Amino acid sequence: MRENKTLNKDSDHLEQANNIEVWEDVVNIKDLLLSMLICTGSAMGGYLLAPDDPQKPLLYGLAGVVIGFLISSMIIKPKRTLRFEDEEK
Amino acid sequence: MDLSLIMELIAVSIFGAVLYTIIGIAPGTDETAVLMPVTLILVLSGMQPISVLAFFISAIVAKKLTDSIPVAIAGIPGGVLSAPMVEHAMVLKNQGMPDVSIRKMASGSVIGTIIAVPLSLLLANLLIPFGDTISQYSNQIFFTGAVFLALMTKNRWLSLLSIVPFALLIQGLRHLYWGIGAVPEDTTVFTSFFLGITVGPIILKLLELLNNDIRKNLPRRTTNDIVLKRQKKVKGFPNPFKILDKKETGSSALASVLGVFTFFMSPAGMTIFLGEVISSRIKDPIKRATRAISSMDGVTNAAYISGILIPLIAIGVPLSPTALGPGMALFNAPPVFSEDHNLHHLLSMSDFVVATVIGAAIAISITYFVTVKYAQQICTFVFKYIPHEALLGVFLALVIMLAYMDAGLINIGGVILIGLVAGILHRWGVNYGVQFMVLYAAPWIVSNLVL
């Protein structure tokens, strides 16, 4: 958690940037809210709309979570940059 | 035991391994939340008891192998038990070695499984004569476990002091729900409280974002720059004994043995405890992290396997956190299984051995292969295409849905409350292990406070 200094060197001159760190990765607050709304909405939607048989609501709800996850992944861009470095060993 | 039964066991084990390899990669999939419902459905649909067991064993081994992936690449626990590993995995992630941490964790898992299967079967056999006596003292065992784990943490007095208030919070909510009729009086809300504790730290963090002062003072960043070190391809079938060095293998094995013997304790608590004990003296941060995660993953696997097998074989009531959570459906799934009519009563010792060995062997051969061989590809894919926001969203959605499922709308507030308290306690150094033990022992603790 505290070992992030090496990756953090750009933060000094970018005080205005809108992204913050939550749980070890960088997120945009607006995107985070959007994704939470989508996922919670699709999960609860699935759960509440499911037929009233035992276990059905849970299955529909889980399907809703998956759908919400896919939608969020499609509309939100990850805030990461990925580089490869060849191992020296 | 005929061939067609063996074929069926192999088939359900493959099904379990494939399904939970996929589910395990998804972050935030709490073990209880994803294992219990599916097992319950299989039990209720009339699957043979021995096949259910093979499925369950295969599922937990596969799930424990793959849930190291979200930990390694995103620092998000793939389940309750991988939460303690986050800190160490982050050290490796920041060094650009998330795939190394996946391989080390998966190899630790395999060692844990190889040790736990025979040892659990043996220990269960030895405990059979004492089964009835043990089951009478389950509450005391959980309470003692909470005290023990509290004394083992760095902030021991704070941890010790938090036990009773936290138990009051849990029981307070349950009595409130009973009192206002949110749930019937014979229903004890459990799964969602469990989940509330698990996500406590992140609930706290998210709520803090709503505080203006805290939000303004958070460091701002544009992107997270990740440098991945290219790894050599693993040729042929990966060998856990080559991926781990001798010391890592040794400490994973030792930790796994201890994990089996402490089957009745919270696996998360034991994982934290043993992981710290084993790694705390190592100076080099990378070596310390690899040693810790491989041993911890060994313990979690061992604790899970022993936690389900020993109560099933020797006791017949769910007297371990694993049995009370993910494995609940093997003990109690009305109308098919009940406390007097479940796998404990239906299966013979040879049934247990065959189902366990087939389930574990199949899960290891499928899942370990995929996890280790494609660790870097999996990491690259997730980093490039899966936004962190979506992962957090999924996590929150699961919590809210399960809260609603357990006790309706009111419980969403209840779980946030538990998460908030658990998150603060966690930040202050009261670890998950203590909190989970308190969750199990809460009814007993509270009933003993009224004289």
Side-chain angles (χ1 to χ4, degrees):
Chain A
M1 285 171 196
R2 280 146 225 98
E3 284 81 2
N4 274 335
K5 284 177 224 113
T6 45
L7 299 171
N8 225 344
K9 49 188 180 283
D10 61 344
S11 61
D12 297 334
H13 51 95
L14 285 163
E15 285 297 317
Q16 298 306 310
N18 252 331
N19 299 338
I20 54 152
E21 194 180 309
V22 179
W23 250 18
E24 312 296 339
D25 211 338
V26 173
V27 297
N28 179 290
I29 297 182
K30 275 188 195 133
D31 284 348
L32 181 60
L33 279 176
L34 186 67
S35 152
M36 283 177 173
L37 280 178
I38 293 172
C39 291
T40 312
S42 59
M44 290 310 288
Y47 187 89
L48 295 172
L49 293 177
D52 194 17
D53 289 338
Q55 299 303 323
K56 280 265 172 66
L58 183 63
L59 286 180
Y60 280 60
L62 288 176
V65 171
V66 174
I67 293 168
F69 174 72
L70 292 176
I71 297 175
S72 314
S73 300
M74 277 185 271
I75 58 175
I76 299 168
K77 265 197 161 169
K79 278 97 201 146
R80 309 184 189 97
T81 53
L82 197 57
R83 252 181 334 116
F84 280 99
E85 178 187 289
D86 289 304
E87 211 178 19
E88 278 106 55
K89 274 184 199 170
Chain B
M1 193 151 301
D2 56 23
L3 197 65
S4 67
L5 180 61
I6 303 274
M7 293 309 286
E8 186 182 323
L9 293 181
I10 293 176
V12 292
S13 301
I14 293 177
F15 171 62
V18 172
L19 182 65
Y20 283 93
T21 300
I22 299 166
I23 293 179
I25 293 174
T29 43
D30 170 73
E31 288 87 352
T32 306
V34 298
L35 274 161
M36 211 269 275
V38 179
T39 318
L40 185 64
I41 292 168
L42 293 179
V43 171
L44 295 179
S45 68
M47 186 188 257
Q48 292 192 60
I50 187 172
S51 308
V52 174
L53 181 65
F55 168 84
F56 188 81
I57 297 288
S58 168
I60 51 175
V61 173
K63 169 87 177 66
K64 298 257 57 64
L65 272 165
T66 49
D67 69 4
S68 47
I69 295 178
V71 180
I73 58 184
I76 293 184
V80 183
L81 291 187
S82 37
M85 288 175 236
V86 169
E87 205 183 318
H88 297 286
M90 290 326 288
V91 174
L92 295 174
K93 184 192 167 191
N94 290 337
Q95 300 286 335
M97 299 157 73
D99 42 357
V100 173
S101 85
I102 291 177
R103 289 192 181 121
K104 297 267 185 192
M105 284 194 248
S107 304
S109 277
V110 170
I111 289 178
T113 307
I114 293 174
I115 286 181
V117 168
L119 196 58
S120 306
L121 292 169
L122 195 74
L123 187 61
N125 237 344
L126 294 177
L127 283 176
I128 288 177
F130 310 103
D132 294 337
T133 325
I134 298 174
S135 64
Q136 285 165 10
Y137 291 101
S138 54
N139 287 316
Q140 286 88 333
I141 293 175
F142 287 131
F143 177 66
T144 316
V147 173
F148 174 77
L149 288 176
L151 290 174
M152 288 299 150
T153 59
K154 241 188 242 161
N155 301 297
R156 62 174 65 92
W157 302 116
L158 179 64
S159 299
L160 209 54
L161 204 67
S162 75
I163 290 178
V164 169
F166 197 56
L168 287 178
L169 172 68
I170 291 161
Q171 283 308 90
L173 282 174
R174 284 176 178 159
H175 282 270
L176 172 70
Y177 295 171
W178 291 329
I180 60 161
V183 295
E185 293 229 1
D186 56 352
T187 308
T188 304
V189 177
F190 185 83
T191 313
S192 56
F193 287 2
F194 193 85
L195 209 57
I197 295 175
T198 319
V199 299
I202 193 155
I203 287 195
L204 181 63
K205 181 89 190 178
L206 291 175
L207 289 177
E208 273 181 349
L209 292 180
L210 298 175
N211 177 305
N212 277 325
D213 293 338
I214 295 180
R215 194 176 58 236
K216 275 187 195 128
N217 288 323
L218 280 174
R220 301 279 160 154
R221 298 173 55 185
T222 42
T223 56
N224 190 4
D225 298 316
I226 297 165
V227 183
L228 277 182
K229 287 194 178 141
R230 232 179 258 284
Q231 297 288 319
K232 285 193 204 91
K233 284 218 172 65
V234 181
K235 288 200 188 90
F237 196 86
N239 178 351
F241 299 101
K242 278 193 190 143
I243 289 174
L244 297 177
D245 65 28
K246 281 216 179 75
K247 281 181 182 158
E248 288 162 356
T249 310
S251 52
S252 303
L254 176 68
S256 305
V257 171
L258 294 172
V260 170
F261 280 97
T262 51
F263 69 92
F264 48 86
M265 304 275 280
S266 148
M270 287 314 294
T271 306
I272 297 164
F273 174 58
L274 292 174
E276 294 308 322
V277 167
I278 282 170
S279 66
S280 59
R281 269 188 237 132
I282 303 169
K283 289 263 159 54
D284 178 47
I286 295 179
K287 286 220 172 85
R288 182 170 61 226
T290 57
R291 185 84 78 90
I293 54 172
S294 53
S295 311
M296 284 171 148
D297 226 315
V299 186
T300 60
N301 263 52
Y304 252 56
I305 291 170
S306 60
I308 195 68
L309 285 180
I310 296 174
L312 267 183
I313 297 173
I315 306 168
V317 287
L319 201 145
S320 76
T322 316
L324 278 168
M328 197 64 210
L330 303 180
F331 291 88
N332 214 336
V336 182
F337 293 155
S338 68
E339 299 254 308
D340 321 301
H341 178 79
N342 57 37
L343 293 190
H344 175 67
H345 313 89
L346 296 171
L347 297 186
S348 68
M349 192 63 200
S350 63
D351 291 343
F352 275 113
V353 175
V354 171
T356 307
V357 169
I358 291 182
I362 290 196
I364 287 181
S365 39
I366 296 179
T367 313
Y368 183 66
F369 181 79
V370 171
T371 314
V372 169
K373 200 126 182 165
Y374 300 104
Q376 188 150 46
Q377 283 88 335
I378 295 170
C379 283
T380 314
F381 178 84
V382 174
F383 279 148
K384 266 194 180 153
Y385 299 106
I386 309 292
H388 197 57
E389 287 90 339
L391 303 179
L392 294 171
V394 164
F395 217 63
L396 187 82
L398 281 173
V399 174
I400 290 182
M401 184 178 75
L402 288 166
Y404 185 82
M405 189 176 90
D406 261 1
L409 204 56
I410 186 174
N411 195 34
I412 296 178
V415 169
I416 293 176
L417 174 61
I418 290 202
L420 196 57
V421 175
I424 291 171
L425 288 176
H426 191 265
R427 187 175 287 179
W428 286 349
V430 181
N431 65 33
Y432 280 129
V434 178
Q435 297 183 19
F436 286 133
M437 285 287 184
V438 175
L439 174 63
Y440 292 116
W444 183 82
I445 295 174
V446 171
S447 69
N448 277 286
L449 288 174
V450 186
L451 298 172

